[in-house]
Structures are given as C-alpha cells and as structure tokens.
Amino acid sequence: LSRNMHEARYTTDRLTTVPWSTPLSAAELKELDGILDTEVTAFLPPHLLYEPGTTDVSKWASTFSRGSSVSSVRLLDTNELCGLILLRSEAASVHLGYIFGKRHWGKGMATELLRGLMDQLTVQRHVGDIHAGVDRQNPASAAVLRKVGFHAM
C-alpha cells in the first residue's frame, strides 16, 4: 500500500474518510468517546476494549492507531463521526480493520465503506494481499467482508 493511500481521502454515496492527525483534538476525542462502548469494541483484541467512563479515550486512540493509518469515517451530509477504518502495512500485505458506532449498525455503511476502499485500491493499482480478521462471534462483520470479496482462510 502506498504512502499516498494511507493519506488518501475517499468518498462514497454517504461516507467520507478523513485521515487522523495526531494527537487528536479535544473535540475529536469527545466525538470518539461518543461512538465507543463495550459493544462496539467487543470483538477487538482485549487491549482495545473500551469501557465508557473508565477507559481513557486518548490512550485508547493512541493504542488503536499505533503502527497503523487510521481515518475517521464521517457521514457526508452532516460530517458526524460514525466509525473508524484502520490500515496497517505488514510486509507485502495490508491489514484492514474497522468499527462503527452502534447507531450506525445495520444500515449498510460498513459494506459501503469497504467497497469504497476496494475501489480506491483499484484506482491506485494496489498490488498485494489485503487481510481482515474477524471474530467467529461477529457474523455481521464476516458477512460484510464476504460481500466485498474477502474469503475465509
């Protein structure tokens, strides 16, 4: 994945991605705190679980983004933060991760976001594998990945 892709913004019908600038501003941290909770982070690695009122959102964001490029996923019409997308280069491949706030679940946004990413990678002529892990207890995320062309390994 080229450095340009890490910094690229792309837009779909309803969503736009905005690369994180670090450190995040107080307003960005407040927005992030507004979409994170135990259900949203339930299928992330244990060190990324989020407990509202207990977990420090700034430390969580720093841990989440370590070694990766993260973009905010925002609603195109209102600029509301609805999720995050993470890309991490690993040798000749890219690892993909994403989360959405609960109020945005079940609306096809994850599928739209990942289709937009695949289109962007095609435009940039990305060569290499793209991997995304999914917990077996998260069938909704597995279905999204299958819809955009991922296959179980």
Side-chain angles (χ1 to χ4, degrees):
L1 190 65
S2 72
R3 179 165 170 75
N4 289 342
M5 180 58 209
H6 283 301
E7 296 173 350
R9 293 179 188 232
Y10 68 93
T11 300
T12 67
D13 290 343
R14 297 178 290 172
L15 306 170
T16 188
T17 62
V18 180
W20 271 10
S21 57
T22 51
L24 295 177
S25 70
E28 290 168 317
L29 290 169
K30 184 177 179 181
E31 278 186 306
L32 182 58
D33 187 54
I35 68 163
L36 294 175
D37 66 21
T38 53
E39 287 181 82
V40 168
T41 64
F43 300 112
L44 295 178
H47 68 285
L48 288 172
L49 299 180
Y50 192 84
E51 184 67 42
T54 301
T55 305
D56 180 312
V57 68
S58 180
K59 288 181 183 176
W60 186 93
S62 177
T63 301
F64 183 77
S65 63
R66 189 171 297 126
S68 303
S69 292
V70 177
S71 293
S72 298
V73 180
R74 297 185 169 278
L75 296 177
L76 195 54
D77 59 348
T78 64
N79 201 38
E80 175 188 348
L81 178 68
C82 57
L84 303 172
I85 186 167
L86 173 142
L87 299 169
R88 178 176 41 249
S89 295
E90 298 175 351
S93 65
V94 173
H95 183 80
L96 160 71
Y98 61 92
I99 60 172
F100 276 86
K102 277 190 304 193
R103 58 182 251 135
H104 303 288
W105 291 358
K107 298 178 181 177
M109 290 184 183
T111 301
E112 182 176 325
L113 175 73
L114 297 186
R115 282 193 177 131
L117 174 65
M118 296 306 139
D119 291 347
Q120 183 72 13
L121 290 172
T122 299
V123 166
Q124 295 212 346
R125 297 187 175 146
H126 171 74
V127 177
D129 293 330
I130 303 169
H131 300 277
V134 63
D135 190 291
R136 293 186 188 277
Q137 296 178 19
N138 191 354
S141 189
V144 166
L145 292 168
R146 281 192 302 276
K147 283 181 197 176
V148 300
F150 283 79
H151 305 282
M153 294 177 66

